[in-house]
Amino acid sequence: MIFRQLFDATSGTYTYLLASRRGGEALIIDPVLEKVDRYLQLMRELDLKLVKAVDTHLHADHITGLGALRDRTQCITVMGEQSGVDVVSMRLADGDRLGIEGLSLDVFYTPGHTDDSYSYVMADRVFTGDTLLIRGTGRTDFQNGDARAQYESIFGRLLKLPDETLVYPAHDYKGDTVSTIAEEKACNPRLQVTSVDEYVALMNGLNLSNPKMMDVAVPANMRQGLAQAEIARRGWAVTAEQAQALLGCRDIALIDLREKSEREKHGTIPGALHAPYADLRENITPGGMLHELAAATGKRLVFYCAFGERSAMAVQAAQDAGLATACHIHGGIAAWRAANGPLAR
Ligand SMILES: [Fe+2]
């Protein structure tokens, strides 16, 4: 396995790059905008293809690299289902799995620092975001933070992981890089409480000043820019209502770009073909399944995904590959469901 812990000294942020092998797919957790060039260079050097970029929560102390990584690699951007961030193209919930080639992470909803905080568990390690830090815990006094919820996330979820589990947080300001669940149970001063009320009192008594970057970072992180706005401007989008009118039409092919788990959980449009976004490049180049389908039948490709972000990038790629009639459903399955479109399970 390839595992890199990268550091942004300005914000004290740790970013994690994961891949199962050289030459394979990669995942990045909590990238920082100013370090995007460094990540891309490292991935080139290790011959990795970035397929997913994940933020553990909405950050207040740095601007996320999610939007820039999406624009430069066409990767999938991932956050929790509570996230209102526009750039997100895949939203996960507690109990889901986050996968790339050769790696699978269990998704834990661990609110408290923010109401959109998630932790990701992979075999011997856990990425705790700002929920559990080394000898500390993330503040709970803004961004819908909740000390009571954080107590439950830490004591009820994270500390129940095996003692030897490695703890990799999103930040450290003291120079520590990694800890273990056992070490934090024993030595983390915030965790030496005997009740939830004691923890809440401790957290509510911290009186911290706001992060320097907060007034810049939070609005910037909420609005990274939508890929689908530009696609709509070019006339390559249909609304969910227009798409319903096309259902059953012989000269279109609906293409579902989501992953199998998303299709099973949220349902799919009846009659749609399944062609996951991760395989898009090979599918739309000459000889690829979608390229040949369009060439042989003259059908118009109508892509869709969860929220319209992956499908917007797919339309651009298909247009670039010469599939001039390709379009997508603006807003994805979320818009389709809101318009009462039929769904098959
Ligand atoms: Fe944070």
Side-chain angles (χ1 to χ4, degrees):
M1 185 178 77
I2 294 170
F3 172 74
R4 294 298 167 91
Q5 182 178 33
L6 302 154
F7 188 57
D8 173 54
T10 310
S11 60
T13 303
Y14 285 128
T15 301
Y16 300 95
L17 178 67
L18 310 173
S20 64
R21 64 178 179 92
R22 242 188 133 84
E25 293 184 354
L27 166 83
I28 197 163
I29 299 176
D30 288 331
V32 175
L33 177 62
E34 288 79 5
K35 291 286 187 282
V36 162
D37 285 336
R38 173 66 196 133
Y39 309 143
L40 294 172
Q41 183 192 353
L42 181 58
M43 285 186 271
R44 273 195 303 276
E45 289 164 354
L46 299 175
D47 192 22
L48 297 175
K49 180 191 177 209
L50 184 67
V51 296
K52 285 180 184 163
V54 185
D55 265 353
T56 52
H57 63 287
L58 180 72
H59 295 286
D61 57 346
H62 67 269
I63 297 177
T64 177
L66 250 54
L69 287 169
R70 172 202 63 186
D71 292 344
R72 292 176 64 180
T73 70
Q74 285 73 51
C75 68
I76 296 173
T77 47
V78 183
M79 286 184 77
E81 64 179 358
Q82 291 78 4
S83 174
V85 173
D86 63 357
V87 72
V88 177
S89 60
M90 176 186 278
R91 286 180 171 82
L92 299 172
D94 189 69
D96 284 347
R97 285 188 154 212
L98 169 64
I100 60 164
E101 174 204 3
L103 292 178
S104 176
L105 287 75
D106 290 319
V107 179
F108 280 32
Y109 179 43
T110 51
H113 170 59
T114 63
D115 60 358
D116 67 349
S117 288
Y118 278 76
S119 299
Y120 293 90
V121 179
M122 188 181 75
D124 64 345
R125 62 200 64 196
V126 55
F127 302 97
T128 55
D130 289 356
T131 302
L132 177 61
L133 305 174
I134 299 173
R135 308 301 189 263
T137 57
R139 63 192 298 172
T140 55
D141 57 339
F142 60 68
Q143 289 187 281
N144 301 319
D146 180 341
R148 203 164 282 277
Q150 191 177 55
Y151 179 92
E152 185 49 41
S153 295
I154 295 172
F155 284 86
R157 302 293 303 278
L158 297 176
L159 296 189
K160 295 204 164 143
L161 291 166
D163 273 350
E164 61 278 15
T165 307
L166 299 168
V167 174
Y168 285 104
H171 291 290
D172 193 84
Y173 310 100
K174 313 174 297 298
D176 292 311
T177 54
V178 62
S179 181
T180 66
I181 290 294
E183 209 177 299
E184 291 311 306
K185 270 184 197 165
C187 308
N188 188 322
R190 298 253 175 101
L191 306 186
Q192 310 311 310
V193 292
T194 53
S195 69
V196 60
D197 290 332
E198 196 183 327
Y199 185 74
V200 170
L202 173 78
M203 293 306 288
N204 290 348
L206 292 175
N207 290 320
L208 302 166
S209 53
N210 281 345
K212 288 191 285 292
M213 282 282 286
M214 184 164 147
D215 294 339
V216 177
V218 170
N221 287 340
M222 285 298 293
R223 286 181 296 281
Q224 287 279 296
L226 287 164
Q228 53 190 318
E230 178 58 21
I231 297 300
R233 204 184 60 75
R234 293 182 189 184
W236 296 337
V238 294
T239 64
E241 290 80 3
Q242 289 167 336
Q244 282 184 51
L246 295 173
L247 209 57
C249 207
R250 283 164 176 274
D251 50 1
I252 65 138
L254 277 161
I255 315 291
D256 188 346
L257 296 166
R258 295 171 303 159
E259 298 183 1
K260 185 164 168 274
S261 57
E262 296 177 279
R263 287 158 55 84
E264 287 167 358
K265 190 165 171 180
H266 301 291
T268 187
I269 299 176
L273 293 170
H274 184 210
Y277 180 78
D279 304 330
L280 181 74
R281 296 273 154 195
E282 59 195 64
N283 279 335
I284 58 172
T285 47
M289 189 252 286
L290 297 177
H291 194 278
E292 295 312 302
L293 171 75
T297 65
K299 285 181 194 273
R300 180 184 198 191
L301 303 181
V302 183
F303 293 103
Y304 71 93
C305 62
F307 307 102
E309 284 294 286
R310 275 170 278 179
S311 54
M313 292 190 287
V315 170
Q316 184 64 62
Q319 292 281 346
D320 292 346
L323 301 168
T325 61
C327 67
H328 84 131
I329 302 178
H330 195 91
I333 277 283
W336 178 266
R337 183 184 294 109
N340 295 314
L343 288 168
R345 296 268 168 185

